[in-house]
Amino acid sequence: MKGTKKLKISKILLWTIFIIYIIIVMGATLVDRVSGYESVNLHLFSSYKDAYNSFSIGEWRNLILNILMFVPIGILMPLLFNKFQQWYITYLVGFVATLFIEILQFISKRGIFEIDDIINNFLGCAIGYGIVMFFISLFKKKKSLNILVYQIPLIVSIISISVIFINYHK
């Protein structure tokens, strides 16, 4: 760097948070699991059907945690790298990261390869991206339709889960 660039404390903090986040995700998805899983679930939305039919709090918790687990990727990547402020780059990395975890779970037999997990994690990444881009747009004082478009995954998720819970309660 030859003294031309200075490290910003905010970047160091973001990188620290990012590294801790990666360690926690890898621990939760691979390390903190018993081995012996050998199944693949390619049935689309089967975990949602199971959660709805049994209305098990544990099932719903797992679905929501799978979504929330990737929100930080959607938030941190655009803050760490300007290129990730393009939605397609962040979405691609979110998809590849979740696919990587699912493949590692399958190979190590420490989890079930599930299409629903990929969808949930990807949705979490999109929600995180929408949140961070909303604030970035506010700070840059950009007023555009994109601010609302970024919020679609979050709005659809909240409405869908609310409708399911209200419908089930009735």
Side-chain angles (χ1 to χ4, degrees):
M1 291 194 324
K2 299 182 183 179
T4 59
K5 289 189 175 186
K6 293 183 181 181
L7 290 174
K8 292 182 181 178
I9 193 76
S10 59
K11 285 287 186 183
I12 294 171
L13 181 62
L14 284 172
W15 272 105
T16 304
I17 292 168
F18 183 68
I19 290 168
I20 291 169
Y21 164 74
I22 294 297
I23 292 168
I24 290 170
V25 167
M26 294 309 282
T29 57
L30 294 169
V31 178
D32 193 27
R33 298 210 168 179
V34 295
S35 61
Y37 292 97
E38 292 188 20
S39 62
V40 174
N41 182 358
L42 300 177
H43 300 286
L44 193 59
F45 301 121
S46 64
S47 57
Y48 285 89
K49 291 173 189 169
D50 292 344
Y52 184 79
N53 289 332
S54 68
F55 209 76
S56 162
I57 296 300
E59 296 271 345
W60 283 108
R61 183 198 71 220
N62 289 341
L63 289 170
I64 292 169
L65 287 177
N66 265 324
I67 293 170
L68 293 177
M69 183 170 59
F70 265 61
V71 169
I73 287 234
I75 291 172
L76 291 170
M77 298 311 286
L79 293 175
L80 287 169
F81 307 103
N82 287 337
K83 286 183 181 180
F84 283 85
Q85 290 183 16
Q86 302 292 323
W87 65 271
Y88 56 90
I89 296 173
T90 302
Y91 284 16
L92 179 64
V93 167
F95 175 75
V96 169
T98 188
L99 187 62
F100 177 73
I101 289 171
E102 291 299 313
I103 290 170
L104 278 178
Q105 284 181 333
F106 178 72
I107 291 170
S108 67
K109 297 180 184 352
R110 292 195 175 265
I112 300 169
F113 183 97
E114 289 188 90
I115 293 294
D116 287 358
D117 284 352
I118 294 171
I119 291 168
N120 291 333
N121 294 160
F122 180 79
L123 178 60
C125 178
I127 289 170
Y129 176 81
I131 292 168
V132 78
M133 290 310 295
F134 175 77
F135 287 107
I136 287 173
S137 296
L138 285 179
F139 286 119
K140 289 183 177 179
K141 298 186 190 309
K142 283 185 177 179
K143 293 185 179 178
S144 70
L145 185 61
N146 287 347
I147 294 174
L148 294 176
V149 172
Y150 295 146
Q151 303 313 309
I152 291 174
L154 177 60
I155 293 167
V156 168
S157 298
I158 290 171
I159 290 172
S160 298
I161 290 173
S162 298
V163 166
I164 289 169
F165 276 76
I166 290 168
N167 190 26
Y168 197 87
H169 183 63
K170 287 182 179 183

